Amino acid sequence: FPRHISELDLIANRTLDAGKDLESDHPGFNDPIYRQRRSELTKIAQEYQWDRPIPRLEYTQEEVETWGAVWDEMEDLLEKC
């Protein structure tokens, strides 16, 4: 367990290192566009260090629409709680 915030940089690579090692039952396993995007996001995350500003990244229109749909579903579920 990290004892200082800087130690998060040391464990990030272990957490994010699944780009080429996706399980065959993962929905994106055979999707080259998904794997490329996952690789890009992983690279940004792995290069980030705790004492630097959090990098901004542009989301694709498809990502915005997907997470918008997820939000709408989650919002409905939260209202039911």
Side-chain angles (χ1 to χ4, degrees), residues 22-58:
L22 288 177
E23 297 292 328
S24 61
D25 63 347
H26 187 282
F29 182 78
N30 291 313
D31 182 344
I33 295 170
Y34 171 84
R35 292 179 73 114
Q36 175 62 37
R37 181 61 170 162
R38 180 183 173 111
S39 177
E40 292 167 6
L41 296 174
T42 299
K43 183 176 186 278
I44 290 167
Q46 287 177 330
E47 291 176 354
Y48 173 73
Q49 292 184 1
W50 72 276
D51 59 345
R52 294 186 184 161
I54 296 173
R56 304 249 336 143
L57 57 113
E58 295 295 320

Side-chain angles (χ1 to χ4, degrees), residues 1-80:
F1 190 80
R3 296 175 191 228
H4 185 269
I5 194 167
S6 64
E7 293 175 0
L8 291 174
D9 294 340
L10 302 174
I11 64 168
N13 290 344
R14 283 184 275 161
T15 303
L16 297 167
D17 188 28
K20 62 182 179 292
D21 299 325
L22 288 177
E23 297 292 328
S24 61
D25 63 347
H26 187 282
F29 182 78
N30 291 313
D31 182 344
I33 295 170
Y34 171 84
R35 292 179 73 114
Q36 175 62 37
R37 181 61 170 162
R38 180 183 173 111
S39 177
E40 292 167 6
L41 296 174
T42 299
K43 183 176 186 278
I44 290 167
Q46 287 177 330
E47 291 176 354
Y48 173 73
Q49 292 184 1
W50 72 276
D51 59 345
R52 294 186 184 161
I54 296 173
R56 304 249 336 143
L57 57 113
E58 295 295 320
Y59 289 97
T60 66
Q61 185 61 36
E62 184 178 21
E63 290 168 333
V64 171
E65 291 170 5
T66 298
W67 288 112
V70 169
W71 173 258
D72 291 344
E73 244 346 271
M74 295 300 294
E75 193 172 38
D76 290 343
L77 292 171
L78 286 172
E79 290 173 4
K80 293 178 183 178

